[in-house]
Structure formats: C-alpha cells, structure tokens
Amino acid sequence: MIIDHMLPIDHTLSTDPDTRARIVRAAVEDRAVHAALLPVVEAGLRDADAGRRAVALHLARALMARSLLTPVLDAFDAAPEAFLGVPDPEARTGAGTLAQAVFAFVREARPRGHARAEAFLRQALSWPELRVEAFYAIGMDDGAVLRPHLVALLGERPDLAAALGTQYALLHKDEALAACEVLSAAPEAPRRAFWAALSRHLDRVHAIKLKVACRRALFGGP
C-alpha cells in the first residue's frame, strides 16, 4: 500500500529509521495514514523476527495508539518468552529488552482503570528486568502487592530501602509488620536502612507498639 505515493506503509517494519519516522509523522497528521499503519504494527507484534517485533513496539509507543493496548498484551501473554530477556535492537540506550518496551508502552498508553493493563504492571514485579520499573509504576500505591517482592527489589536497588521504610510507615502502616517479616530475609544493610526510616516515621505517628513489633520482626530479640 502506498499513501501519497511516498509512504511504503506495508513495509514499515523493514524500512530504514528515517523512513519510519516520516511515516509516524504522517500518521500523526493524517488519519488515513494512521488507520493504514495500525494493522501493520499489530501484525508485527506477532512476527517471528525479534527485530520486527521491536520496531512494532516502538511504533506503537510513538503513535501512542491505545487501540493497540490489547494486541500488545495479547502478544505478550501468548509468548512471554518472545519478549522477556530478548534484546531490543531499537532501544535508544543500546540496552534493554522487548519486555521493557512492552512495559513502557503499556504504562504510558493505558487509560485510567484499565484492569488488564494494571494487572500486567503488578505482575511485572515478578520479572527481574521489569521489577524496578514496576515499582515506580505502582509500588508506592499498593503495599500489599509490593510486599512479596521487597527482598528481590532491595537486592537490585538497596538505595530504595529508606523510601520503602517511609512508605510503609506513612502510607501503608497496616502492612508494615508484614513487610518487616518479609524483609527479615534481606541482607543487613538494606534492612537497617529500611528500619531507620520506618522507625523514625512510626515515632512521628506515635505507633510505639507497632515499632517494637517491627523491630523484632526485622532483627529478632525481645
């Protein structure tokens, strides 16, 4: 298909980056080009070639096409192994995976309250390459969802310990003891950083009994 005798829509996934950028610009300005491009991108999400899947994902994000949200999630759910751990040749930094490209699109394109997209973001806490991004997307909003992943998260990002301690003291106080029980298996340094922030803020809200219970859970003793 040729639109305006210049844009090779059917071959978008295999064209050079400059041509793809021109097609995206045209799609933003012309609804006919946008409509023609969407099925090409959707088909690319299921392509056997990782490079073409990468192009499709980046085009979906460039278009910010919410109509592609379900096809992207369908493609991931049908074959997670085609995305998780698969290098993304289109990543701007030169590093990244196709799963991270999926995550970026879903995070940015999801409408408020989209149950399937929100479930994907929560599930991403289970995957090492997406865990930190998932924490920033939803972690501060749901202490119970985050709790089972605390040890792994701090294993990757021990610098988050103080922020997490603050979160559980002020935002999710009812989850603080359970979080400490989970973190009893974490290395000492992040445990102590978590505890320093948690105890300080529990003092501020006069939660003395909870503070004592949390200290015992984290470090043992009377």
Side-chain angles (χ1 to χ4, degrees), residues 187-200:
E188 183 175 359
R191 263 188 299 144
R192 292 202 174 278
F194 178 91
W195 168 245
L198 179 75
S199 62
R200 181 170 66 253

Side-chain angles (χ1 to χ4, degrees), residues 72-150:
V72 166
L73 291 169
D74 285 345
F76 183 90
D77 288 344
E81 70 281 359
F83 299 90
L84 288 166
V86 178
D88 177 4
E90 297 291 316
R92 291 182 179 178
T93 61
T97 68
L98 294 189
Q100 288 170 330
V102 169
F103 187 93
F105 172 72
V106 172
R107 180 181 184 179
E108 294 172 9
R110 75 193 194 280
R112 184 181 297 274
H114 192 289
R116 190 176 175 194
E118 297 299 330
F120 170 80
L121 297 183
R122 291 193 298 272
Q123 188 180 11
L125 286 164
S126 302
W127 299 311
E129 69 202 74
L130 298 177
R131 186 172 291 123
V132 174
E133 288 91 341
F135 164 71
Y136 284 117
I138 60 115
M140 288 293 184
D141 296 328
D142 197 326
V145 168
L146 180 62
R147 189 178 67 238
H149 309 284
L150 286 172

Side-chain angles (χ1 to χ4, degrees), residues 128-196:
E129 69 202 74
L130 298 177
R131 186 172 291 123
V132 174
E133 288 91 341
F135 164 71
Y136 284 117
I138 60 115
M140 288 293 184
D141 296 328
D142 197 326
V145 168
L146 180 62
R147 189 178 67 238
H149 309 284
L150 286 172
V151 174
L153 178 63
L154 290 183
E156 296 176 43
R157 288 288 304 276
D159 59 302
L160 292 175
L164 287 166
T166 300
Q167 171 186 348
Y168 278 98
L170 299 180
L171 300 179
H172 307 296
K173 190 171 67 173
D174 57 332
E175 295 285 339
L177 180 56
C180 290
E181 290 169 348
V182 169
L183 281 171
S184 65
E188 183 175 359
R191 263 188 299 144
R192 292 202 174 278
F194 178 91
W195 168 245

